[in-house]
């Protein structure tokens, strides 16, 4: 099935207010994708919440839209733009797994091996690296408290916060804010108990994604991520990137390529120059169909 061709289809006969969607996942990180390159109308928050709902919508952790690139994006060589919406309707600047899924669709559309995608975090370079395996170059990663951001100046390599088993974390920015906490043993049940206090702490005026990492050896990390707006996800691409970077900054890993094992599967993170990273992993299709357009129509 040519999924991009499906996304360009019109609504079924007798259902004029329905839009085609494709649902994909990167390591069980689920996305509902709409092609809005020919649609100018603004999304309403209630549309986003409904579409992402597992009860009344297609069900996803984020809604992704394919958009026409801006003039600046075109100047930078972007083939298309991507917007990312969380399940609460708020727009996010970056998502590594979402970018890989979007890149796969656009690579299939173009027949190319490389594509540039404009996002709110910049124009991202994506490549096909195997059968439904995609890499994306992300960054730069910053430890600057003003970029994270935090509400006051702090040592971001040693966060002055503690919640249960989470202490002495690292705050970073990779298009979105993250806090990484290293533990001796990763226990998934502990994360919903202790991560929300960090996510909603006044130190983070925009909230923060909370990553909990166990360093297995100098090139392997086990990781789980509590994402804004408050879900324990099976995988988080940007979380894997900052966890590898933070582990390097702390001296816990020494290899330039780090294997990050998440509940949904494995990502390879390559730490390169200028605080950039290359994230590589698989993508997969779930289903496609039509969803009620609502206020989008």
């Amino acid at each position: 099935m040519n999924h991009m061709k499906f996304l360009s289809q019109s609504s079924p006969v007798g259902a004029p207010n329905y839009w085609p969607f494709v649902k994909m996942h990167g390591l069980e990180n689920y996305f509902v994708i709409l092609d809005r390159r020919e649609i100018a109308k603004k999304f309403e928050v209630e549309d986003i919440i409904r579409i992402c709902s597992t009860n009344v919508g297609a069900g996803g952790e984020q809604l992704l839209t394919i958009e026409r690139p801006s003039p600046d994006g075109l100047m930078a060589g972007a083939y298309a733009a991507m917007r990312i919406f969380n399940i609460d309707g708020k727009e996010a600047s970056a998502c590594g797994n979402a970018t890989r899924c979007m890149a796969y669709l656009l690579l299939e559309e173009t027949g190319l091996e490389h594509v540039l995608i404009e996002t709110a975090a910049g124009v991202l370079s994506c490549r096909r690296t195997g059968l439904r395996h995609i890499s994306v170059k992300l960054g730069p990663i910053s430890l600057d408290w003003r970029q994270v951001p935090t509400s006051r100046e702090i040592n971001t390599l040693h966060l002055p916060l503690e919640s249960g088993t989470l202490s002495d974390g690292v705050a970073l920015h990779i298009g979105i804010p993250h806090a990484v906490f290293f533990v001796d043993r990763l226990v998934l049940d502990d994360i919903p108990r202790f991560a929300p206090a960090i996510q909603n702490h006044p130190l983070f005026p925009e909230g923060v994604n909370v990553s909990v990492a166990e360093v297995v050896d100098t090139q392997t990390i086990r990781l789980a991520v509590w994402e804004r707006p408050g879900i324990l996800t099976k995988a988080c691409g940007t979380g894997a990137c900052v966890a590898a970077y933070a582990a390097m900054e702390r001296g816990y890993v020494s290899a330039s390529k780090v294997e990050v094992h998440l509940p949904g599967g494995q990502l390879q993170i390559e730490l390169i120059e200028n605080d950039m990273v290359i994230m590589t992993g698989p993508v997969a299709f779930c289903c496609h169909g039509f969803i009620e357009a609502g206020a989008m129509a």
Side-chain angles (χ1 to χ4, degrees):
M1 172 69 188
N2 185 327
H3 295 273
M4 292 303 297
K5 185 177 180 180
F6 177 82
L7 282 175
S8 67
Q9 290 184 6
S10 58
S11 297
V13 175
N17 292 322
Y18 284 74
W19 293 106
F21 75 89
V22 167
K23 184 173 177 179
M24 296 184 67
H25 74 88
L27 302 182
E28 298 186 56
N29 194 187
Y30 293 96
F31 309 103
V32 180
I33 304 170
L34 303 178
D35 189 346
R36 287 176 52 86
R37 283 174 286 187
E38 303 301 325
I39 303 169
K41 187 172 178 61
K42 179 183 176 182
F43 266 125
E44 299 296 337
V45 170
E46 55 266 30
D47 286 320
I48 299 164
I49 294 172
R50 174 176 52 82
I51 291 169
C52 290
S53 170
T54 56
N55 294 321
V56 298
E61 293 171 71
Q62 288 175 321
L63 171 66
L64 312 180
T65 64
I66 309 171
E67 312 274 347
R68 291 181 176 179
S70 70
D72 287 344
L74 284 172
M75 286 285 290
Y79 174 74
M82 175 178 66
R83 296 181 70 187
I84 307 165
F85 300 91
N86 289 330
I87 59 174
D88 59 359
K90 295 180 180 178
E91 189 163 2
S93 298
C95 176
N97 286 326
T99 304
R100 292 191 301 105
C101 289
M102 181 70 71
Y104 182 81
L105 284 177
L106 298 177
L107 289 169
E108 290 294 289
E109 178 176 274
T110 61
L112 301 174
E113 298 298 306
H114 172 254
V115 70
L116 297 176
I117 301 175
E118 182 182 14
T119 72
V123 176
L124 304 181
S125 175
C126 309
R127 293 188 179 277
R128 193 193 309 269
T129 57
L131 181 62
R132 291 190 179 173
H133 268 69
I134 302 293
S135 72
V136 56
K137 185 177 181 181
L138 296 167
I141 298 175
S142 176
L143 289 163
D144 189 322
W145 69 274
R146 290 161 292 196
Q147 289 193 39
V148 172
T150 58
S151 56
R152 58 184 173 85
E153 183 175 0
I154 59 167
N155 178 359
T156 54
L157 269 174
H158 297 280
L159 281 174
L161 297 179
E162 184 174 340
S163 177
T165 58
L166 309 182
S167 63
D168 192 28
V170 181
L172 314 93
H173 181 267
I174 183 172
I176 52 176
H178 278 272
V180 181
F181 293 85
F182 294 97
V183 294
D184 293 333
R185 187 170 68 92
L186 180 61
V187 180
L188 292 179
D189 289 345
D190 284 349
I191 297 175
R193 297 170 56 200
F194 303 133
I198 303 293
Q199 175 206 337
N200 299 306
H201 196 279
L203 185 64
F204 300 105
E206 297 179 6
V208 71
N209 297 286
V210 183
S211 297
V212 183
E214 173 190 338
V215 178
V216 178
D217 56 40
T218 57
Q219 58 186 13
T220 312
I221 294 172
R222 293 182 63 225
L223 181 73
V225 181
W226 180 263
E227 286 188 334
R228 299 178 303 174
I231 57 173
L232 181 61
T233 183
K234 288 288 188 73
C236 177
T238 56
C241 293
V242 295
Y245 185 92
M248 179 70 77
E249 289 293 309
R250 286 279 188 89
Y252 300 152
V253 300
S254 56
S256 61
K257 292 184 179 180
V258 179
E259 301 288 349
V260 180
H261 297 263
L262 297 126
Q266 177 181 311
L267 291 170
Q268 182 184 79
I269 308 301
E270 182 179 0
L271 303 163
I272 59 176
E273 69 279 353
N274 300 321
D275 298 320
M276 302 292 288
V277 295
I278 297 175
M279 177 190 63
T280 303
V283 301
F285 290 98
C286 301
C287 62
H288 61 255
F290 293 88
I291 193 164
E292 188 176 4
M296 298 182 296

